[in-house]
Amino acid sequence: MEAKVRYVKHNALAGRAEELTCWEDYGRLAVYWPDEVANVRLHQTTKQRPIDRFEQERPRLRPLPALPFDTDEILSVIVSSHARVHFDGNRYSVPPQIAGKTALLRADDRQVRILYQGKELAAHPRCYDRGQVLCQDDHRLAALKLRNRVRARDLEDRFDALGPEARQFHLELRRRPVKTAVHLRRILNLVRLYGRDDVRAALVLANQYGTYDAAYVETLVLQERRRRELPSSTPLCPKRIPKQKILRLFDCQFVEQHQSAVFIGPTGTGKTHLLNALAYTACEKGLSVHSTRVIDMINTLTTAQLKGTLEKTLKIYIRPALLLLDELGYLPIDRRGANLLFQVVAARYESGAIVLSTNRPLGDWGQTFDVDNTLATAMIDRLMHHGEPILIQGDSYRMKDKGNE
């Protein structure tokens, strides 16, 4: 056998590297070379041409079997979570319903077939390259539909987990000619904004009134919050506060004008309460708002930068109409964090409003940013170009009772 393989390599394949670029080229050579070359020249031992010798021996040969021999490669394969099977260095798609299951793969020289429980589920042209993914459109479409169903089930599970009043609301909502997922998603956003208890109380009322609509639930939540005069009515203890400047902020015109403000004052003087009240007011006016602590935003962006998803994560802080950043200066910020904070401020400059609170005067920001005065100056320049500092003076509300002890 080795001599025969060597004979083919040295006589049929030698010198044809440029001609043989694909499997079809080898197939054409396999027909041409025996008939036109190998079988018509004299054999060194018999001194006859193989084609003539074959005609002499033909009467003595038995016919081939009526059924051809099965020459397929047969393998047991495990379907990956991406609905792919690996064979001969390539990946072939299968219907996503059998992901994680064991299937049977049969391959011949032209085709790769995948069978499951005796039924053929996929057939692909065999690829002789390496590292290729052969995916059929119907498999990709089925995977997208299945993924959407999984997401819908996850949404319903999270909503039902709110409690029995949520499950009753969900059941009644499904009986109506509306897009259930749209309403569930909107109500879950209310949970994120206003808390689980407020939304559950609104769902109880919606069930009592027989009105199954996300907008109605939102109205109930807002009405109850107005009744309780939220945000918190905890009194502030500043000795000096620019009332007119703050009132101008609460008309939210500065948001449409893409302006900025910086609350500057010692700890405990109500800066965070003002940010929360401003966020609530802006939401009532229909504006998109994102509120977070500076250090939390920097940690989120740093993680995204390490994972290679920084551009996507930055949109969380760039897209809202109003960005509220609390507690700048309470913790030191390294150079990477300062650069990330600057990216947010620079991206929102003249395109989005920012309100920021800090316990440090503007002149001390360089010490907060790892002694980078250049970066601090550039950030202050963008904030103050269309904004103003609001100075709050006073004693800490948290310490107001300590003097009497």
Side-chain angles (χ1 to χ4, degrees):
M1 179 59 70
E2 291 180 358
K4 293 179 175 62
V5 171
R6 185 166 57 249
Y7 174 75
V8 172
K9 284 184 176 181
H10 290 173
N11 293 273
L13 303 182
R16 287 191 168 91
E18 296 182 357
E19 300 176 19
L20 304 174
T21 59
C22 62
W23 180 253
E24 286 73 16
D25 293 340
Y26 283 93
R28 286 190 290 269
L29 180 64
V31 175
Y32 165 78
W33 185 76
D35 293 343
E36 303 296 331
V37 179
N39 290 336
V40 295
R41 58 188 177 184
L42 292 177
H43 191 275
Q44 185 176 2
T45 303
T46 63
K47 306 303 180 181
Q48 290 180 290
R49 296 191 310 168
I51 190 172
D52 298 332
R53 186 65 176 261
F54 176 72
E55 291 300 328
Q56 296 175 11
E57 296 179 355
R58 184 192 293 273
R60 300 184 182 89
L61 297 177
R62 290 183 296 176
L64 292 173
L67 298 176
F69 288 108
D70 186 354
T71 59
D72 288 357
E73 294 182 64
I74 302 176
L75 299 173
S76 179
V77 292
I78 297 178
V79 181
S80 72
S81 59
H82 294 90
R84 306 281 193 273
V85 294
H86 293 255
F87 173 69
D88 200 21
N90 299 304
R91 288 175 291 173
Y92 297 86
S93 68
V94 297
Q97 291 79 5
I98 63 170
K101 296 181 170 58
T102 301
L104 186 70
L105 183 147
R106 298 181 66 101
D108 58 24
D109 60 333
R110 296 183 179 276
Q111 195 176 46
V112 174
R113 298 182 295 139
I114 298 93
L115 299 89
Y116 179 70
Q117 294 182 346
K119 181 180 179 181
E120 182 178 307
L121 298 183
H124 296 269
R126 182 167 181 173
C127 178
Y128 289 92
D129 293 330
R130 293 292 185 269
Q132 303 299 309
V133 178
L134 287 84
C135 185
Q136 295 181 1
D137 291 340
D138 56 340
H139 296 162
R140 185 180 290 109
L141 180 60
L144 290 174
K145 291 180 178 179
L146 182 62
R147 186 182 308 165
N148 290 337
R149 287 198 294 271
V150 170
R151 289 176 178 172
R153 286 198 299 269
D154 179 65
L155 180 69
E156 293 175 351
D157 291 344
R158 286 191 290 122
F159 184 83
D160 292 343
L162 293 176
E165 56 278 345
R167 290 190 287 273
Q168 180 184 349
F169 185 94
H170 184 192
L171 180 62
E172 296 296 334
L173 192 63
R174 291 181 66 91
R175 295 173 178 170
R176 283 155 175 77
V178 297
K179 293 183 178 180
T180 304
V182 173
H183 290 264
L184 299 186
R185 188 177 294 107
R186 184 171 176 179
I187 295 174
L188 287 174
N189 286 336
L190 295 177
V191 175
R192 181 173 57 84
L193 287 173
Y194 302 114
R196 184 188 187 100
D197 293 339
D198 285 4
V199 175
R200 288 182 62 182
L203 289 173
V204 170
L205 292 176
N207 289 331
Q208 290 177 357
Y209 300 147
T211 306
Y212 305 99
D213 184 271
Y216 183 68
V217 174
E218 182 175 8
T219 300
L220 293 175
V221 172
L222 294 177
Q223 286 178 347
E224 178 61 19
R225 289 177 68 85
R226 290 192 188 96
R227 187 185 67 79
R228 295 183 313 202
E229 296 182 352
L230 293 177
S232 173
S233 58
T234 303
L236 308 180
C237 294
K239 292 181 180 179
R240 184 178 178 182
I241 184 170
K243 182 177 180 180
Q244 293 304 319
K245 288 185 178 181
I246 291 179
L247 289 178
R248 283 200 302 271
L249 286 180
F250 277 77
D251 65 17
C252 291
Q253 291 183 7
F254 80 100
V255 178
E256 298 176 359
Q257 298 167 0
H258 303 156
Q259 296 178 350
S260 305
V262 180
F263 293 146
I264 304 174
T267 183
T269 52
K271 299 186 297 298
T272 301
H273 278 290
L274 288 172
L275 289 180
N276 290 339
L278 184 58
Y280 177 73
T281 302
C283 288
E284 281 196 319
K285 293 180 181 294
L287 298 171
S288 56
V289 180
H290 189 93
S291 180
T292 184
R293 296 192 309 159
V294 170
I295 195 66
D296 292 337
M297 181 185 72
I298 290 175
N299 288 339
T300 300
L301 292 175
T302 300
T303 302
Q305 190 176 48
L306 296 174
K307 291 182 176 180
T309 59
L310 178 59
E311 183 177 352
K312 178 180 179 181
T313 308
L314 275 172
K315 294 178 182 178
I316 297 174
Y317 306 101
I318 295 174
R319 283 180 173 174
L322 175 60
L323 177 64
L324 303 172
L325 299 177
D326 197 15
E327 297 185 356
L328 173 66
Y330 288 82
L331 293 172
I333 300 174
D334 61 16
R335 191 172 299 274
R336 171 184 280 182
N339 288 334
L340 292 171
L341 176 58
F342 178 76
Q343 287 188 51
V344 174
V345 173
R348 294 187 64 86
Y349 174 62
E350 295 188 334
S351 64
I354 302 179
V355 179
L356 189 145
S357 75
T358 178
N359 64 336
R360 286 179 171 270
L362 299 180
D364 293 346
W365 281 18
Q367 300 176 18
T368 302
F369 300 145
D370 197 19
V371 202
D372 192 338
N373 290 316
T374 302
L375 186 63
T377 302
M379 189 177 303
I380 294 170
D381 179 68
R382 284 162 174 78
L383 290 171
M384 294 296 100
H385 183 210
H386 300 297
E388 58 181 342
I390 298 178
L391 302 179
I392 303 173
Q393 300 177 5
D395 299 324
S396 172
Y397 173 79
R398 303 180 187 90
M399 303 297 292
K400 66 182 181 66
D401 297 326
K402 293 294 183 180
N404 300 325
E405 295 180 359

